[in-house]
Amino acid sequence: MSEVKILNAGSLPNIPWQDRPADLKTETPVWRYSENPVLGRNPTPEIARIFNSAVVPWEDGYIAVLRGEQVNGVPYVYLGHSKDGIHWDVEREKVPFTDEDGNPMMPHYAYDPRLVKVEDTYYIIWCGDFHGASIGMAKTKDFKTFTRLENPFIPFNRNAVLFPRKINGTFRLFSRPSDSGHTPFGDIFLSESPDMVFWGKHRHVMGSGGEWWQGVKIGAGAAPIETTEGWLLFYHGVSSTCNGFVYSMGGAILDINEPSKVLYRCANYLLTPEEPYEVSGFVPNVVFPCATLQDGDTGRIAIYYGAADTHVGLAFTTVDSVVNYIKSHSVLHYGDDEAKHNY
């Protein structure tokens, strides 16, 4: 068992944390916060539910972009603030997106946001409407002004996740081409850009696996974590049952210089709906990872995930244990490990 380190993460001594329970009955290296959920129903009069949201360190605490399902049923992006990453204050006004001249440029709707810092800029990526389900993007440096960027792709596409640094001088972005409905298919693809405007060199990363929990479709979750073993990716996998889809969390390790190449891919899920707030809600049986916090000193990782399209849950792991678990339970599928299959 190798000792795995997180790279380029820095210190985060106030990372939300709870030690692994001594009586945990599963071998998975991921465990839940005992006081879950940390966000849920009716946080403000305008918002019915918060789930599928992303968190980053900010100033002396944390800031989040939240999927707020409004009481009119339309999803939108809101900001949340927290000192400890567990207890949250939610702003009542929507995130005020503008064009480059500062004029209002609000999307029709926005959901499942991710939030990733690259160099000195924070990028918000969400799914919106561009004559069909598509990817919206904006940038900010102060969380006061939010400037819209060009849509990276035409419809239909979802689950866009940006890498936290450039690779060989270009930005890298995961996405999951789809259709206009509850997509019964979906693979993860990788694209690159010199300027966050023009995207190309598209590569296939990995598709739905043979295992039941990811047999229908998959999608990138949290921003990849750079480690001494490669890029650690938490993603969601979907299975189909007689009672609908089930969303679970999986893990993979990608090549550090060519992240379209999968080095290891865990055949087992890391987290699957089991707790009441995961199996019961607006959309039952959903565990949907969207963000992580990590402390480079201790290797601790806190994972934020949507639960049953109703709550935000929090889970924990360490980089050493989760990477070694993925490696020891790895099963690669066609196209995962051979570059010739990727384009």
Side-chain angles (χ1 to χ4, degrees):
M1 300 283 283
S2 62
E3 185 177 2
V4 186
K5 299 292 186 182
I6 299 174
L7 302 177
N8 299 316
S11 299
L12 193 62
N14 65 334
I15 186 172
W17 186 254
Q18 193 174 65
D19 288 336
R20 180 184 177 92
D23 59 350
L24 196 66
K25 296 179 180 179
T26 65
E27 69 167 0
T28 175
V30 176
W31 61 97
R32 296 168 175 85
Y33 178 48
S34 64
E35 300 300 318
N36 271 346
V38 296
L39 271 165
R41 294 184 185 272
N42 304 312
T44 75
E46 298 80 11
I47 303 172
R49 294 168 287 119
I50 285 182
F51 55 99
N52 298 4
S53 302
V55 177
V56 295
W58 175 249
E59 296 180 341
D60 61 346
Y62 300 93
I63 199 164
V65 291
L66 308 170
R67 173 173 175 165
E69 209 80 353
Q70 300 175 99
V71 293
N72 63 5
V74 178
Y76 219 85
V77 178
Y78 293 81
L79 288 182
H81 305 268
S82 175
K83 291 293 186 182
D84 59 7
I86 295 172
H87 303 91
W88 291 89
D89 294 318
V90 179
E91 292 190 11
R92 295 184 63 173
E93 299 297 326
K94 304 170 188 175
V95 170
F97 295 114
T98 69
D99 63 18
E100 292 184 353
D101 296 323
N103 301 309
M105 191 179 179
M106 303 293 272
H108 299 299
Y109 58 80
Y111 62 88
D112 296 353
R114 270 64 163 198
L115 177 60
V116 183
K117 184 182 181 183
V118 184
E119 298 173 347
D120 64 346
T121 302
Y122 294 85
Y123 294 92
I124 303 173
I125 310 105
W126 66 89
C127 183
D129 177 30
F130 179 48
H131 300 278
S134 57
I135 297 165
M137 305 180 73
K139 63 181 180 180
T140 184
K141 292 186 178 182
D142 57 8
F143 289 97
K144 296 178 181 178
T145 59
F146 302 84
T147 305
R148 292 279 299 273
L149 302 174
E150 292 287 341
N151 294 53
F153 310 122
I154 61 174
F156 301 94
N157 212 322
R158 311 178 190 210
N159 290 302
V161 178
L162 188 66
F163 276 67
R165 69 166 175 85
K166 294 179 180 177
I167 300 174
N168 298 324
T170 60
F171 296 94
R172 304 296 174 101
L173 181 75
F174 287 129
S175 69
R176 205 273 306 281
S178 60
D179 62 15
S180 59
H182 294 285
T183 313
F185 64 89
D187 294 0
I188 298 174
F189 286 77
L190 182 71
S191 304
E192 63 178 280
S193 171
D195 54 10
M196 290 290 288
V197 176
F198 298 100
W199 293 88
K201 296 187 177 179
H202 311 292
R203 298 290 185 268
H204 182 268
V205 180
M206 57 186 187
S208 57
E211 299 81 16
W212 72 269
W213 64 270
Q214 57 177 341
V216 173
K217 57 183 174 180
I218 60 174
I225 300 171
E226 190 173 5
T227 79
T228 49
E229 292 289 324
W231 292 102
L232 169 61
L233 174 66
F234 296 109
Y235 66 96
H236 66 261
V238 182
S239 64
S240 184
T241 74
C242 60
N243 198 36
F245 287 155
V246 176
Y247 284 70
S248 303
M249 182 175 74
I253 301 169
L254 315 177
D255 185 87
I256 203 72
N257 294 312
E258 184 43 71
S260 65
K261 182 178 181 181
V262 182
L263 303 179
Y264 305 96
R265 179 176 178 179
C266 194
N268 300 341
Y269 56 74
L270 301 178
L271 204 67
T272 199
E274 294 175 334
E275 294 297 321
Y277 53 86
E278 299 164 350
V279 302
S280 178
F282 198 78
V283 178
N285 298 314
V286 176
V287 164
F288 193 91
C290 280
T292 62
L293 300 171
Q294 47 272 343
D295 176 30
D297 294 339
T298 62
R300 292 175 171 178
I301 300 173
I303 306 167
Y304 291 86
Y305 65 95
D309 279 16
T310 306
H311 305 284
V312 174
L314 181 59
F316 306 105
T317 189
T318 64
V319 67
D320 194 55
S321 62
V322 74
V323 166
N324 281 303
Y325 184 84
I326 291 170
K327 291 175 65 176
S328 63
H329 295 82
S330 178
V331 175
L332 295 182
H333 300 277
Y334 176 84
D336 287 349
D337 61 338
E338 296 187 40
K340 67 181 181 180
H341 295 149
N342 288 348
Y343 59 93

PDB file of all heavy atoms in Angstrom, residues 296-330:
ATOM      1  N   GLY A 296      -4.106  19.395   2.224  1.00  0.00           N
ATOM      2  CA  GLY A 296      -2.877  18.781   1.767  1.00  0.00           C
ATOM      3  C   GLY A 296      -2.001  18.261   2.883  1.00  0.00           C
ATOM      4  O   GLY A 296      -1.200  17.342   2.683  1.00  0.00           O
ATOM      5  N   ASP A 297      -2.124  18.815   4.077  1.00  0.00           N
ATOM      6  CA  ASP A 297      -1.276  18.393   5.197  1.00  0.00           C
ATOM      7  C   ASP A 297      -1.677  17.029   5.728  1.00  0.00           C
ATOM      8  O   ASP A 297      -0.814  16.190   6.034  1.00  0.00           O
ATOM      9  CB  ASP A 297      -1.346  19.422   6.327  1.00  0.00           C
ATOM     10  CG  ASP A 297      -0.733  20.766   5.932  1.00  0.00           C
ATOM     11  OD1 ASP A 297       0.072  20.792   4.982  1.00  0.00           O
ATOM     12  OD2 ASP A 297      -1.076  21.776   6.572  1.00  0.00           O
ATOM     13  N   THR A 298      -2.970  16.796   5.869  1.00  0.00           N
ATOM     14  CA  THR A 298      -3.445  15.551   6.478  1.00  0.00           C
ATOM     15  C   THR A 298      -3.971  14.545   5.466  1.00  0.00           C
ATOM     16  O   THR A 298      -4.165  13.368   5.804  1.00  0.00           O
ATOM     17  CB  THR A 298      -4.576  15.855   7.477  1.00  0.00           C
ATOM     18  OG1 THR A 298      -5.678  16.456   6.769  1.00  0.00           O
ATOM     19  CG2 THR A 298      -4.098  16.812   8.568  1.00  0.00           C
ATOM     20  N   GLY A 299      -4.248  14.977   4.240  1.00  0.00           N
ATOM     21  CA  GLY A 299      -4.848  14.095   3.248  1.00  0.00           C
ATOM     22  C   GLY A 299      -6.343  13.920   3.424  1.00  0.00           C
ATOM     23  O   GLY A 299      -6.964  13.099   2.741  1.00  0.00           O
ATOM     24  N   ARG A 300      -6.939  14.695   4.304  1.00  0.00           N
ATOM     25  CA  ARG A 300      -8.383  14.592   4.515  1.00  0.00           C
ATOM     26  C   ARG A 300      -9.169  15.173   3.341  1.00  0.00           C
ATOM     27  O   ARG A 300      -8.762  16.191   2.769  1.00  0.00           O
ATOM     28  CB  ARG A 300      -8.779  15.311   5.804  1.00  0.00           C
ATOM     29  CG  ARG A 300      -8.255  14.634   7.062  1.00  0.00           C
ATOM     30  CD  ARG A 300      -8.576  15.468   8.300  1.00  0.00           C
ATOM     31  NE  ARG A 300      -8.261  14.734   9.521  1.00  0.00           N
ATOM     32  CZ  ARG A 300      -8.392  15.217  10.754  1.00  0.00           C
ATOM     33  NH1 ARG A 300      -8.855  16.464  10.912  1.00  0.00           N
ATOM     34  NH2 ARG A 300      -8.086  14.481  11.804  1.00  0.00           N
ATOM     35  N   ILE A 301     -10.290  14.546   3.018  1.00  0.00           N
ATOM     36  CA  ILE A 301     -11.175  14.998   1.945  1.00  0.00           C
ATOM     37  C   ILE A 301     -12.600  15.005   2.475  1.00  0.00           C
ATOM     38  O   ILE A 301     -13.062  14.006   3.036  1.00  0.00           O
ATOM     39  CB  ILE A 301     -11.084  14.085   0.707  1.00  0.00           C
ATOM     40  CG1 ILE A 301      -9.656  14.047   0.154  1.00  0.00           C
ATOM     41  CG2 ILE A 301     -12.054  14.550  -0.382  1.00  0.00           C
ATOM     42  CD1 ILE A 301      -9.461  13.026  -0.967  1.00  0.00           C
ATOM     43  N   ALA A 302     -13.274  16.133   2.299  1.00  0.00           N
ATOM     44  CA  ALA A 302     -14.702  16.234   2.609  1.00  0.00           C
ATOM     45  C   ALA A 302     -15.464  16.312   1.290  1.00  0.00           C
ATOM     46  O   ALA A 302     -15.100  17.099   0.410  1.00  0.00           O
ATOM     47  CB  ALA A 302     -14.985  17.466   3.463  1.00  0.00           C
ATOM     48  N   ILE A 303     -16.496  15.509   1.144  1.00  0.00           N
ATOM     49  CA  ILE A 303     -17.245  15.389  -0.108  1.00  0.00           C
ATOM     50  C   ILE A 303     -18.665  15.896   0.112  1.00  0.00           C
ATOM     51  O   ILE A 303     -19.371  15.418   1.013  1.00  0.00           O
ATOM     52  CB  ILE A 303     -17.292  13.927  -0.588  1.00  0.00           C
ATOM     53  CG1 ILE A 303     -15.886  13.333  -0.683  1.00  0.00           C
ATOM     54  CG2 ILE A 303     -18.012  13.831  -1.933  1.00  0.00           C
ATOM     55  CD1 ILE A 303     -15.865  11.820  -0.852  1.00  0.00           C
ATOM     56  N   TYR A 304     -19.086  16.857  -0.719  1.00  0.00           N
ATOM     57  CA  TYR A 304     -20.465  17.341  -0.682  1.00  0.00           C
ATOM     58  C   TYR A 304     -21.255  16.654  -1.798  1.00  0.00           C
ATOM     59  O   TYR A 304     -20.801  16.604  -2.946  1.00  0.00           O
ATOM     60  CB  TYR A 304     -20.508  18.854  -0.872  1.00  0.00           C
ATOM     61  CG  TYR A 304     -19.938  19.615   0.308  1.00  0.00           C
ATOM     62  CD1 TYR A 304     -18.577  19.873   0.392  1.00  0.00           C
ATOM     63  CD2 TYR A 304     -20.764  20.066   1.336  1.00  0.00           C
ATOM     64  CE1 TYR A 304     -18.040  20.557   1.489  1.00  0.00           C
ATOM     65  CE2 TYR A 304     -20.243  20.761   2.422  1.00  0.00           C
ATOM     66  CZ  TYR A 304     -18.886  20.997   2.493  1.00  0.00           C
ATOM     67  OH  TYR A 304     -18.365  21.678   3.568  1.00  0.00           O
ATOM     68  N   TYR A 305     -22.430  16.159  -1.445  1.00  0.00           N
ATOM     69  CA  TYR A 305     -23.224  15.444  -2.441  1.00  0.00           C
ATOM     70  C   TYR A 305     -24.707  15.761  -2.266  1.00  0.00           C
ATOM     71  O   TYR A 305     -25.187  16.044  -1.166  1.00  0.00           O
ATOM     72  CB  TYR A 305     -22.984  13.934  -2.348  1.00  0.00           C
ATOM     73  CG  TYR A 305     -23.447  13.268  -1.076  1.00  0.00           C
ATOM     74  CD1 TYR A 305     -24.701  12.656  -0.998  1.00  0.00           C
ATOM     75  CD2 TYR A 305     -22.632  13.228   0.049  1.00  0.00           C
ATOM     76  CE1 TYR A 305     -25.124  12.030   0.156  1.00  0.00           C
ATOM     77  CE2 TYR A 305     -23.047  12.601   1.214  1.00  0.00           C
ATOM     78  CZ  TYR A 305     -24.296  12.010   1.271  1.00  0.00           C
ATOM     79  OH  TYR A 305     -24.729  11.392   2.426  1.00  0.00           O
ATOM     80  N   GLY A 306     -25.415  15.744  -3.391  1.00  0.00           N
ATOM     81  CA  GLY A 306     -26.855  15.892  -3.354  1.00  0.00           C
ATOM     82  C   GLY A 306     -27.506  14.589  -2.938  1.00  0.00           C
ATOM     83  O   GLY A 306     -27.066  13.503  -3.341  1.00  0.00           O
ATOM     84  N   ALA A 307     -28.541  14.685  -2.105  1.00  0.00           N
ATOM     85  CA  ALA A 307     -29.231  13.502  -1.603  1.00  0.00           C
ATOM     86  C   ALA A 307     -30.716  13.598  -1.950  1.00  0.00           C
ATOM     87  O   ALA A 307     -31.413  14.501  -1.494  1.00  0.00           O
ATOM     88  CB  ALA A 307     -29.057  13.382  -0.092  1.00  0.00           C
ATOM     89  N   ALA A 308     -31.160  12.671  -2.797  1.00  0.00           N
ATOM     90  CA  ALA A 308     -32.582  12.536  -3.157  1.00  0.00           C
ATOM     91  C   ALA A 308     -33.170  13.839  -3.701  1.00  0.00           C
ATOM     92  O   ALA A 308     -34.367  14.083  -3.533  1.00  0.00           O
ATOM     93  CB  ALA A 308     -33.399  12.030  -1.971  1.00  0.00           C
ATOM     94  N   ASP A 309     -32.364  14.647  -4.371  1.00  0.00           N
ATOM     95  CA  ASP A 309     -32.815  15.934  -4.923  1.00  0.00           C
ATOM     96  C   ASP A 309     -33.562  16.769  -3.883  1.00  0.00           C
ATOM     97  O   ASP A 309     -34.484  17.522  -4.218  1.00  0.00           O
ATOM     98  CB  ASP A 309     -33.698  15.713  -6.157  1.00  0.00           C
ATOM     99  CG  ASP A 309     -32.878  15.451  -7.405  1.00  0.00           C
ATOM    100  OD1 ASP A 309     -31.680  15.141  -7.266  1.00  0.00           O
ATOM    101  OD2 ASP A 309     -33.424  15.554  -8.512  1.00  0.00           O
ATOM    102  N   THR A 310     -33.130  16.656  -2.624  1.00  0.00           N
ATOM    103  CA  THR A 310     -33.826  17.325  -1.533  1.00  0.00           C
ATOM    104  C   THR A 310     -32.864  17.942  -0.523  1.00  0.00           C
ATOM    105  O   THR A 310     -33.166  18.972   0.071  1.00  0.00           O
ATOM    106  CB  THR A 310     -34.744  16.321  -0.797  1.00  0.00           C
ATOM    107  OG1 THR A 310     -35.617  15.696  -1.752  1.00  0.00           O
ATOM    108  CG2 THR A 310     -35.580  17.000   0.275  1.00  0.00           C
ATOM    109  N   HIS A 311     -31.704  17.328  -0.333  1.00  0.00           N
ATOM    110  CA  HIS A 311     -30.765  17.740   0.701  1.00  0.00           C
ATOM    111  C   HIS A 311     -29.341  17.791   0.153  1.00  0.00           C
ATOM    112  O   HIS A 311     -29.043  17.246  -0.915  1.00  0.00           O
ATOM    113  CB  HIS A 311     -30.773  16.745   1.869  1.00  0.00           C
ATOM    114  CG  HIS A 311     -32.118  16.501   2.467  1.00  0.00           C
ATOM    115  ND1 HIS A 311     -32.734  17.396   3.294  1.00  0.00           N
ATOM    116  CD2 HIS A 311     -32.962  15.444   2.352  1.00  0.00           C
ATOM    117  CE1 HIS A 311     -33.903  16.909   3.685  1.00  0.00           C
ATOM    118  NE2 HIS A 311     -34.069  15.728   3.117  1.00  0.00           N
ATOM    119  N   VAL A 312     -28.443  18.411   0.919  1.00  0.00           N
ATOM    120  CA  VAL A 312     -27.002  18.305   0.716  1.00  0.00           C
ATOM    121  C   VAL A 312     -26.442  17.458   1.844  1.00  0.00           C
ATOM    122  O   VAL A 312     -26.672  17.740   3.029  1.00  0.00           O
ATOM    123  CB  VAL A 312     -26.317  19.685   0.699  1.00  0.00           C
ATOM    124  CG1 VAL A 312     -24.792  19.519   0.626  1.00  0.00           C
ATOM    125  CG2 VAL A 312     -26.803  20.509  -0.484  1.00  0.00           C
ATOM    126  N   GLY A 313     -25.738  16.395   1.480  1.00  0.00           N
ATOM    127  CA  GLY A 313     -25.066  15.540   2.442  1.00  0.00           C
ATOM    128  C   GLY A 313     -23.572  15.791   2.430  1.00  0.00           C
ATOM    129  O   GLY A 313     -23.020  16.363   1.483  1.00  0.00           O
ATOM    130  N   LEU A 314     -22.909  15.352   3.484  1.00  0.00           N
ATOM    131  CA  LEU A 314     -21.469  15.512   3.630  1.00  0.00           C
ATOM    132  C   LEU A 314     -20.876  14.153   3.989  1.00  0.00           C
ATOM    133  O   LEU A 314     -21.416  13.437   4.847  1.00  0.00           O
ATOM    134  CB  LEU A 314     -21.171  16.543   4.718  1.00  0.00           C
ATOM    135  CG  LEU A 314     -19.722  16.895   5.032  1.00  0.00           C
ATOM    136  CD1 LEU A 314     -19.004  17.447   3.805  1.00  0.00           C
ATOM    137  CD2 LEU A 314     -19.673  17.922   6.176  1.00  0.00           C
ATOM    138  N   ALA A 315     -19.781  13.796   3.325  1.00  0.00           N
ATOM    139  CA  ALA A 315     -19.094  12.541   3.597  1.00  0.00           C
ATOM    140  C   ALA A 315     -17.597  12.807   3.674  1.00  0.00           C
ATOM    141  O   ALA A 315     -17.117  13.868   3.254  1.00  0.00           O
ATOM    142  CB  ALA A 315     -19.405  11.504   2.520  1.00  0.00           C
ATOM    143  N   PHE A 316     -16.861  11.826   4.179  1.00  0.00           N
ATOM    144  CA  PHE A 316     -15.434  12.010   4.419  1.00  0.00           C
ATOM    145  C   PHE A 316     -14.638  10.806   3.928  1.00  0.00           C
ATOM    146  O   PHE A 316     -15.146   9.689   3.852  1.00  0.00           O
ATOM    147  CB  PHE A 316     -15.161  12.200   5.915  1.00  0.00           C
ATOM    148  CG  PHE A 316     -15.968  13.298   6.550  1.00  0.00           C
ATOM    149  CD1 PHE A 316     -17.040  12.994   7.375  1.00  0.00           C
ATOM    150  CD2 PHE A 316     -15.665  14.632   6.316  1.00  0.00           C
ATOM    151  CE1 PHE A 316     -17.795  13.994   7.961  1.00  0.00           C
ATOM    152  CE2 PHE A 316     -16.413  15.645   6.895  1.00  0.00           C
ATOM    153  CZ  PHE A 316     -17.472  15.323   7.719  1.00  0.00           C
ATOM    154  N   THR A 317     -13.374  11.073   3.615  1.00  0.00           N
ATOM    155  CA  THR A 317     -12.416  10.021   3.318  1.00  0.00           C
ATOM    156  C   THR A 317     -11.025  10.611   3.463  1.00  0.00           C
ATOM    157  O   THR A 317     -10.871  11.793   3.766  1.00  0.00           O
ATOM    158  CB  THR A 317     -12.635   9.446   1.906  1.00  0.00           C
ATOM    159  OG1 THR A 317     -11.813   8.272   1.730  1.00  0.00           O
ATOM    160  CG2 THR A 317     -12.270  10.451   0.823  1.00  0.00           C
ATOM    161  N   THR A 318     -10.007   9.790   3.251  1.00  0.00           N
ATOM    162  CA  THR A 318      -8.632  10.276   3.155  1.00  0.00           C
ATOM    163  C   THR A 318      -8.078   9.869   1.804  1.00  0.00           C
ATOM    164  O   THR A 318      -8.482   8.843   1.242  1.00  0.00           O
ATOM    165  CB  THR A 318      -7.731   9.707   4.265  1.00  0.00           C
ATOM    166  OG1 THR A 318      -7.636   8.285   4.112  1.00  0.00           O
ATOM    167  CG2 THR A 318      -8.288  10.049   5.642  1.00  0.00           C
ATOM    168  N   VAL A 319      -7.174  10.666   1.282  1.00  0.00           N
ATOM    169  CA  VAL A 319      -6.670  10.402  -0.065  1.00  0.00           C
ATOM    170  C   VAL A 319      -5.955   9.065  -0.131  1.00  0.00           C
ATOM    171  O   VAL A 319      -6.071   8.329  -1.118  1.00  0.00           O
ATOM    172  CB  VAL A 319      -5.769  11.555  -0.551  1.00  0.00           C
ATOM    173  CG1 VAL A 319      -4.470  11.642   0.249  1.00  0.00           C
ATOM    174  CG2 VAL A 319      -5.487  11.424  -2.035  1.00  0.00           C
ATOM    175  N   ASP A 320      -5.231   8.715   0.925  1.00  0.00           N
ATOM    176  CA  ASP A 320      -4.497   7.458   0.929  1.00  0.00           C
ATOM    177  C   ASP A 320      -5.453   6.263   0.876  1.00  0.00           C
ATOM    178  O   ASP A 320      -5.285   5.350   0.062  1.00  0.00           O
ATOM    179  CB  ASP A 320      -3.611   7.387   2.180  1.00  0.00           C
ATOM    180  CG  ASP A 320      -2.569   6.291   2.085  1.00  0.00           C
ATOM    181  OD1 ASP A 320      -1.804   6.275   1.105  1.00  0.00           O
ATOM    182  OD2 ASP A 320      -2.530   5.432   2.984  1.00  0.00           O
ATOM    183  N   SER A 321      -6.476   6.293   1.711  1.00  0.00           N
ATOM    184  CA  SER A 321      -7.377   5.139   1.769  1.00  0.00           C
ATOM    185  C   SER A 321      -8.224   5.017   0.514  1.00  0.00           C
ATOM    186  O   SER A 321      -8.425   3.917  -0.003  1.00  0.00           O
ATOM    187  CB  SER A 321      -8.273   5.234   3.011  1.00  0.00           C
ATOM    188  OG  SER A 321      -9.088   6.385   2.959  1.00  0.00           O
ATOM    189  N   VAL A 322      -8.731   6.138  -0.020  1.00  0.00           N
ATOM    190  CA  VAL A 322      -9.623   6.031  -1.176  1.00  0.00           C
ATOM    191  C   VAL A 322      -8.850   5.667  -2.437  1.00  0.00           C
ATOM    192  O   VAL A 322      -9.328   4.861  -3.255  1.00  0.00           O
ATOM    193  CB  VAL A 322     -10.457   7.322  -1.361  1.00  0.00           C
ATOM    194  CG1 VAL A 322      -9.625   8.467  -1.918  1.00  0.00           C
ATOM    195  CG2 VAL A 322     -11.664   7.050  -2.249  1.00  0.00           C
ATOM    196  N   VAL A 323      -7.657   6.214  -2.618  1.00  0.00           N
ATOM    197  CA  VAL A 323      -6.876   5.867  -3.808  1.00  0.00           C
ATOM    198  C   VAL A 323      -6.466   4.401  -3.773  1.00  0.00           C
ATOM    199  O   VAL A 323      -6.571   3.682  -4.782  1.00  0.00           O
ATOM    200  CB  VAL A 323      -5.651   6.798  -3.945  1.00  0.00           C
ATOM    201  CG1 VAL A 323      -4.664   6.241  -4.968  1.00  0.00           C
ATOM    202  CG2 VAL A 323      -6.091   8.193  -4.351  1.00  0.00           C
ATOM    203  N   ASN A 324      -6.017   3.941  -2.633  1.00  0.00           N
ATOM    204  CA  ASN A 324      -5.618   2.535  -2.543  1.00  0.00           C
ATOM    205  C   ASN A 324      -6.812   1.599  -2.702  1.00  0.00           C
ATOM    206  O   ASN A 324      -6.677   0.511  -3.271  1.00  0.00           O
ATOM    207  CB  ASN A 324      -4.884   2.279  -1.225  1.00  0.00           C
ATOM    208  CG  ASN A 324      -3.437   2.739  -1.289  1.00  0.00           C
ATOM    209  OD1 ASN A 324      -2.675   2.307  -2.152  1.00  0.00           O
ATOM    210  ND2 ASN A 324      -3.063   3.620  -0.380  1.00  0.00           N
ATOM    211  N   TYR A 325      -7.974   2.012  -2.236  1.00  0.00           N
ATOM    212  CA  TYR A 325      -9.174   1.199  -2.420  1.00  0.00           C
ATOM    213  C   TYR A 325      -9.542   1.124  -3.905  1.00  0.00           C
ATOM    214  O   TYR A 325      -9.874   0.047  -4.423  1.00  0.00           O
ATOM    215  CB  TYR A 325     -10.327   1.792  -1.609  1.00  0.00           C
ATOM    216  CG  TYR A 325     -11.593   0.964  -1.661  1.00  0.00           C
ATOM    217  CD1 TYR A 325     -11.781  -0.114  -0.801  1.00  0.00           C
ATOM    218  CD2 TYR A 325     -12.615   1.273  -2.563  1.00  0.00           C
ATOM    219  CE1 TYR A 325     -12.950  -0.869  -0.840  1.00  0.00           C
ATOM    220  CE2 TYR A 325     -13.783   0.525  -2.602  1.00  0.00           C
ATOM    221  CZ  TYR A 325     -13.940  -0.545  -1.746  1.00  0.00           C
ATOM    222  OH  TYR A 325     -15.086  -1.294  -1.801  1.00  0.00           O
ATOM    223  N   ILE A 326      -9.496   2.256  -4.589  1.00  0.00           N
ATOM    224  CA  ILE A 326      -9.794   2.262  -6.029  1.00  0.00           C
ATOM    225  C   ILE A 326      -8.821   1.360  -6.772  1.00  0.00           C
ATOM    226  O   ILE A 326      -9.221   0.553  -7.630  1.00  0.00           O
ATOM    227  CB  ILE A 326      -9.747   3.702  -6.574  1.00  0.00           C
ATOM    228  CG1 ILE A 326     -10.918   4.524  -6.011  1.00  0.00           C
ATOM    229  CG2 ILE A 326      -9.783   3.701  -8.107  1.00  0.00           C
ATOM    230  CD1 ILE A 326     -10.809   6.010  -6.304  1.00  0.00           C
ATOM    231  N   LYS A 327      -7.548   1.468  -6.462  1.00  0.00           N
ATOM    232  CA  LYS A 327      -6.536   0.661  -7.152  1.00  0.00           C
ATOM    233  C   LYS A 327      -6.728  -0.833  -6.896  1.00  0.00           C
ATOM    234  O   LYS A 327      -6.604  -1.647  -7.814  1.00  0.00           O
ATOM    235  CB  LYS A 327      -5.137   1.098  -6.715  1.00  0.00           C
ATOM    236  CG  LYS A 327      -4.740   2.481  -7.216  1.00  0.00           C
ATOM    237  CD  LYS A 327      -3.388   2.927  -6.654  1.00  0.00           C
ATOM    238  CE  LYS A 327      -2.258   2.052  -7.155  1.00  0.00           C
ATOM    239  NZ  LYS A 327      -0.944   2.561  -6.678  1.00  0.00           N
ATOM    240  N   SER A 328      -7.044  -1.186  -5.661  1.00  0.00           N
ATOM    241  CA  SER A 328      -7.156  -2.612  -5.329  1.00  0.00           C
ATOM    242  C   SER A 328      -8.462  -3.230  -5.813  1.00  0.00           C
ATOM    243  O   SER A 328      -8.593  -4.461  -5.833  1.00  0.00           O
ATOM    244  CB  SER A 328      -7.022  -2.802  -3.815  1.00  0.00           C
ATOM    245  OG  SER A 328      -8.069  -2.155  -3.125  1.00  0.00           O
ATOM    246  N   HIS A 329      -9.437  -2.398  -6.219  1.00  0.00           N
ATOM    247  CA  HIS A 329     -10.717  -2.908  -6.728  1.00  0.00           C
ATOM    248  C   HIS A 329     -10.961  -2.439  -8.165  1.00  0.00           C
ATOM    249  O   HIS A 329     -12.104  -2.342  -8.607  1.00  0.00           O
ATOM    250  CB  HIS A 329     -11.874  -2.447  -5.838  1.00  0.00           C
ATOM    251  CG  HIS A 329     -11.835  -3.013  -4.456  1.00  0.00           C
ATOM    252  ND1 HIS A 329     -11.049  -2.480  -3.453  1.00  0.00           N
ATOM    253  CD2 HIS A 329     -12.487  -4.073  -3.906  1.00  0.00           C
ATOM    254  CE1 HIS A 329     -11.218  -3.179  -2.343  1.00  0.00           C
ATOM    255  NE2 HIS A 329     -12.079  -4.148  -2.586  1.00  0.00           N
ATOM    256  N   SER A 330      -9.896  -2.191  -8.901  1.00  0.00           N
ATOM    257  CA  SER A 330     -10.027  -1.593 -10.227  1.00  0.00           C
ATOM    258  C   SER A 330     -10.390  -2.620 -11.287  1.00  0.00           C
ATOM    259  O   SER A 330      -9.840  -3.723 -11.331  1.00  0.00           O
ATOM    260  CB  SER A 330      -8.715  -0.900 -10.618  1.00  0.00           C
ATOM    261  OG  SER A 330      -8.807  -0.350 -11.913  1.00  0.00           O
TER     262      SER A 330
END
